[in-house]
Amino acid sequence: MNVLVIGSGGREHALAWKLKQSSLVDRVFVAPGNAGTAEDAENVPIPETDFAQLIKFVKENGVDLTVVGPEALLAAGIVDAFRKEKLRIFGPNREAAQLESSKVFCKQLLRSGNVPTAEFQVFSDPESARRYLVDREDVPIVVKADGLAAGKGVIVCKNREEALEAVERIAVRKVFGAAGNRLVIEEMLHGEEASVLAITDGKTIVTLQPAQDHKPAYDGDTGPNTGGMGAYSPAPVVTDEMLHWIEANVLVPTVHAMKKNGCPFQGVLYAGLMITPLGPRVLEYNVRFGDPECQPLMMRLKSDLAAILDAAVDGRLDRIESLEWDPRPAVCVVVASEGYPGEYKKGFPIHGLEEAAKIPDVKVFHAGTTIRDGQVVTSGGRVLGVTALGDNIARAKYQAYAAVKCISWPGKWCRKDIADKAINRLTQSGANRNS
Ligand SMILES: Nc1ncnc2c1ncn2[C@@H]1O[C@H](COP(=O)(O)OP(=O)(O)O)[C@@H](O)[C@H]1O
Ligand SMILES: [Mg+2]
């Protein structure tokens, strides 16, 4: 079959690279893609937001399956648009995508499915939110804008004063626009964060290995928030036993609740979790693969991704064999442009990609790259996702950074501590003693 991947980041490169390895797949197209997907697949110069052109391309080129990367397209109804044309597409429809695009929808769904999450209240006007904050104890609390706000709509507040300021910003000054028409105010949770993703057809779920990402820009989880500076899988904070618990008590009840509420969920169900002393709690759901979590997951997945996604689209995931994973951990280090996540320059030629590719068990996934005059140049803030497998996580980290070292362009930088949290945890628990 022919497959179309929509998007242009590291996640989409990893998906295209993995799909291309399937014996079921003939051609893999990526719209619009980047310099890396041009090499591993075929780029199609259609903007990801142009649904009509994408649909036309799919019909004219015998694409049997379309896979959507970015959440904004799902929230904008790309799946509905394709289904209307009887085209096979992997991802939730617009209604189901509210699990990510509306924090209020998500929290109410979690409550209705009895899924463990922080205690919360929903407000649709700033005055009642203020009154609530003033009336309750002055403790740390989290204020969330309801809608998509490019990862900035959640404000973790140390005290009442900060919470009142957050309400002001979101609901009065409307710094995130209509995303702030409603608010969620919720209890602050403590612990380590982890991501557990599952693929579901709306009835059956296939849980993937746990992963962990690094959102803050600088080492030691400091600095401004980014799209993600690195990721690794597995996440040792999620034990096998806990993964089963999460499947049974988080993922399964969520899929059931979606179905019961009349909006069955097909696609990637990505649980952002806080592993608290009382057990895992859902912080949020995303409705697509994470970027960069997707990169280490695809490095480790041995099963045929095309077969899994194809089955999910047809509602026959129950007939898929259990997934096979490379037992070795994978680490992805995001290499960024100078200035990211603020302003940055583009168009620098990238050197050393071939040397990096020669390092064993390394794959350099491209994100913000393009081809200019036959040369790979930077074209985004997050430029590459250098991903490596290793016999243990420290080894995977070492390999990834060895590959990063080969690559250069003016202003190139990355975090130096990707996966250290996992390495420290394993060192402390002694599990890494012999490796
Ligand atoms: N209840 C909470 N307690 C503590 N931290 C939280 C809570 N909710 C969110 N956070 C922090 O804020 C980050 C962003 O929140 P999240 O709900 O994932 O929103 P988004 O990814 O859409 O910005 C989380 O990764 C977590 O670090
Ligand atoms: Mg999040």
Side-chain angles (χ1 to χ4, degrees):
M1 62 177 163
N2 295 333
V3 183
L4 170 66
V5 176
I6 303 181
S8 63
R11 163 182 55 205
E12 288 77 21
H13 187 189
L15 291 172
W17 170 81
K18 181 69 191 159
L19 288 164
K20 184 75 191 181
Q21 293 166 19
S22 164
S23 58
L24 302 170
V25 170
D26 302 306
R27 298 174 78 178
V28 176
F29 301 104
V30 187
N34 56 40
T37 60
E39 196 171 303
D40 289 326
E42 300 171 56
N43 282 358
V44 179
I46 302 174
E48 59 188 34
T49 48
D50 192 341
F51 298 173
Q53 284 297 320
L54 292 168
I55 286 171
K56 187 160 169 273
F57 176 85
V58 161
K59 287 182 175 170
E60 287 174 1
N61 292 274
V63 172
D64 306 287
L65 173 68
T66 299
V67 181
V68 185
E71 63 275 17
L73 307 179
L74 298 165
I78 192 169
V79 168
D80 311 66
F82 271 61
R83 295 236 175 94
K84 219 166 110 196
E85 301 289 328
K86 305 260 182 300
L87 299 173
R88 301 175 70 251
I89 184 162
F90 175 76
N93 64 13
R94 186 186 177 132
E95 203 189 353
Q98 287 179 87
L99 208 46
E100 174 164 3
S101 64
S102 165
K103 300 272 185 219
V104 173
F105 179 97
C106 178
K107 294 295 291 195
Q108 286 170 344
L109 190 284
L110 293 172
R111 189 178 272 167
S112 84
N114 214 2
V115 179
T117 188
E119 282 304 318
F120 71 100
Q121 299 270 346
V122 175
F123 299 94
S124 39
D125 69 289
E127 199 34 56
S128 53
R130 271 192 216 114
R131 214 172 319 124
Y132 170 77
L133 288 170
V134 170
D135 284 349
R136 55 170 290 157
E137 208 187 336
D138 185 358
V139 290
I141 202 156
V142 182
V143 181
K144 302 186 170 187
D146 176 40
L148 290 177
K152 298 201 167 74
V154 169
I155 306 179
V156 179
C157 307
K158 284 199 276 306
N159 51 39
R160 178 187 293 145
E161 191 189 332
E162 285 185 19
L164 289 168
E165 168 63 18
V167 169
E168 180 78 15
R169 276 168 54 77
I170 295 173
V172 180
R173 299 212 305 273
K174 290 277 167 86
V175 295
F176 309 115
N181 286 351
R182 288 190 295 172
L183 287 174
V184 171
I185 300 186
E186 71 179 35
E187 161 203 15
M188 165 108 116
L189 299 174
H190 299 276
E192 192 171 325
E193 288 180 52
S195 309
V196 175
L197 288 75
I199 293 169
T200 175
D201 58 8
K203 305 178 302 239
T204 303
I205 69 165
V206 173
T207 303
L208 309 185
Q209 282 281 291
Q212 205 160 338
D213 72 346
H214 297 66
K215 286 267 181 260
Y218 310 133
D219 287 11
D221 283 340
T222 56
N225 240 355
T226 69
M229 296 305 296
Y232 55 90
S233 169
V237 63
V238 180
T239 59
D240 288 346
E241 193 191 345
M242 196 187 287
L243 188 62
H244 285 133
W245 190 92
I246 291 165
E247 184 174 281
N249 296 284
V250 172
L251 299 168
V252 167
T254 300
V255 169
H256 281 167
M258 289 295 281
K259 199 162 130 209
K260 207 167 114 218
N261 293 1
C263 71
F265 187 96
Q266 181 255 81
V268 174
L269 193 56
Y270 166 143
L273 301 161
M274 185 73 90
I275 312 303
T276 78
L278 295 174
R281 300 283 182 271
V282 176
L283 289 175
E284 66 160 347
Y285 269 116
N286 295 321
V287 298
R288 32 75 194 178
F289 287 103
D291 187 346
E293 296 93 318
C294 186
Q295 289 83 314
L297 287 173
M298 290 305 117
M299 282 290 272
R300 294 191 59 216
L301 182 63
K302 284 186 153 174
S303 305
D304 184 335
L305 180 68
I308 301 164
L309 301 187
D310 202 52
V313 169
D314 293 340
R316 49 179 174 78
L317 264 187
D318 55 338
R319 272 169 269 161
I320 283 281
E321 281 174 40
S322 49
L323 297 192
E324 246 193 276
W325 295 94
D326 194 318
R328 292 175 297 168
V331 171
C332 170
V333 177
V334 169
V335 194
S337 296
E338 184 173 15
Y340 177 79
E343 274 178 43
Y344 53 85
K345 289 197 197 118
K346 305 177 190 179
F348 295 110
I350 303 173
H351 298 287
L353 288 168
E354 277 121 56
E355 291 78 81
K358 282 185 205 137
I359 296 185
D361 296 320
V362 164
K363 175 67 188 171
V364 177
F365 293 114
H366 289 224
T369 69
T370 191
I371 297 171
R372 199 185 61 196
D373 306 328
Q375 202 167 29
V376 179
V377 302
T378 65
S379 70
R382 292 191 295 165
V383 177
L384 303 169
V386 178
T387 311
L389 288 163
D391 289 336
N392 56 49
I393 198 148
R395 188 72 204 165
K397 175 190 171 184
Y398 180 85
Q399 291 291 92
Y401 280 102
V404 168
K405 251 194 213 147
C406 301
I407 297 167
S408 64
W409 73 83
K412 159 210 151 185
W413 69 278
C414 63
R415 271 181 68 158
K416 300 282 186 272
D417 65 342
I418 301 303
D420 279 358
K421 223 183 270 173
I423 294 167
N424 292 339
R425 177 175 288 276
L426 291 170
T427 312
Q428 274 160 23
S429 72
N432 228 14
R433 210 175 289 139
N434 304 319
S435 43

